[in-house]
Amino acid sequence: MSSDRATRFEFHRAELTRLAYRMTGSQAEAEDLVQEAWLRYAKAAEGGGVAQARPFLFRVVTRLCLDHLKSARVARETYPGPWLPEPIVEPRATAAEVAEEVTVALLLLLERLSPLERAVFLLRDIYDLSYEQIGESLGPPSEACPHLASRARAHVHAGRVRRAGGRPR
């Protein structure tokens, strides 16, 4: 049964790593957060607490990313200059993977959003989760999720850049 859990997790690992990278902008942090999600998934699945792997894993990775972005260490280490994401060079296997890959431009756009707006934007517009699933993952009522998504899109279109404290410049 442990092998079955590992297989299910590995099936989603690349997608989870891309989500974490898009939220944090760092490949190393993304990999660490996905590894932490694996530990939590394995423990929860062992006790029979996971009905569906994908929604559970997306919820865990998103929450870990939000906690990471709100941490004192991240606030302390925030670079005051212009932010550029770490480039990732990885082989592309399929056209679908190439189409899904996020460009540096999108990562720069995501920097304009608060961590919660970024999470809702990614989960809804990139990973096509329902507002109900997003509400379960993030905590805000599912009725608030469309407003958060709309506000995130407005910030992206307006071109306002957020500071480390979350306020637009």
Side-chain angles (χ1 to χ4, degrees):
M1 194 59 137
S2 175
S3 172
D4 188 39
R5 281 192 301 263
T7 302
R8 280 184 294 214
F9 178 80
E10 286 302 322
F11 181 77
H12 298 292
R13 180 187 285 277
E15 191 175 37
L16 296 169
T17 303
R18 285 190 297 270
L19 170 64
Y21 171 68
R22 289 169 181 161
M23 290 205 50
T24 64
S26 167
Q27 184 66 24
E29 290 172 354
E31 290 171 359
D32 288 347
L33 293 169
V34 170
Q35 189 61 31
E36 177 64 26
W38 157 246
L39 297 173
R40 293 182 185 200
Y41 171 69
K43 186 175 181 177
E46 185 177 302
V50 178
Q52 296 179 339
R54 187 175 189 262
F56 178 85
L57 289 167
F58 267 80
R59 179 172 42 252
V60 170
V61 168
T62 303
R63 287 226 174 255
L64 288 170
C65 288
L66 287 172
D67 290 345
H68 172 75
L69 290 169
K70 293 176 185 175
S71 73
R73 184 183 65 79
V74 170
R76 242 186 353 262
E77 296 176 0
T78 300
Y79 175 68
W83 178 82
L84 294 173
E86 297 174 359
I88 296 180
V89 178
E90 58 185 32
R92 308 272 192 279
T94 66
E97 288 177 348
V98 171
E100 185 181 322
E101 187 58 35
V102 175
T103 64
V104 171
L106 180 57
L107 289 171
L108 291 171
L109 290 174
L110 292 175
E111 219 13 58
R112 296 176 177 170
L113 307 176
S114 71
L116 187 58
E117 289 170 341
R118 187 180 313 172
V120 172
F121 180 81
L122 286 169
L123 293 174
R124 178 65 182 166
D125 291 1
I126 304 296
Y127 294 103
D128 201 32
L129 295 181
S130 70
Y131 288 125
E132 184 177 286
Q133 290 172 315
I134 296 169
E136 290 172 4
S137 295
L138 302 180
S142 57
E143 299 83 37
C145 290
H147 176 70
L148 282 168
S150 175
R151 192 169 65 199
R153 288 182 201 107
H155 287 168
V156 167
H157 291 297
R160 297 185 339 199
V161 179
R162 293 195 168 273
R163 292 188 193 153
R167 293 188 211 138
R169 289 191 228 186

